[in-house]
Amino acid sequence: MRQPYVLSPEEIVIDVIASARLEGQTLSPEVIAVAGRIAHGERSHAEIKAWQRERVAEIIAAARNRK
């Protein structure tokens, strides 16, 4: 039986960047750095969720300020 291919942390980050590009988005250096820390297992699930909530709040606030 073949073993599944396991991506390295660097390959995971490359995939995250490529996925964003396919969706027409450009990731900031901060987001890429966070993706790297997640890929290397340096962030807990709770830390990741907290960071996501912060980013969503920032995006919503920026959208409201543009109105």
Side-chain angles (χ1 to χ4, degrees), residues 38-49:
I38 292 168
H40 281 92
E42 298 171 4
R43 294 291 179 254
S44 70
H45 180 73
E47 290 171 321
I48 295 165
K49 296 307 272 181

Side-chain angles (χ1 to χ4, degrees), residues 5-19:
Y5 180 74
V6 178
L7 296 174
S8 70
E10 291 75 21
E11 290 171 318
I12 292 170
V13 174
I14 290 168
D15 279 0
V16 167
I17 295 167
S19 179

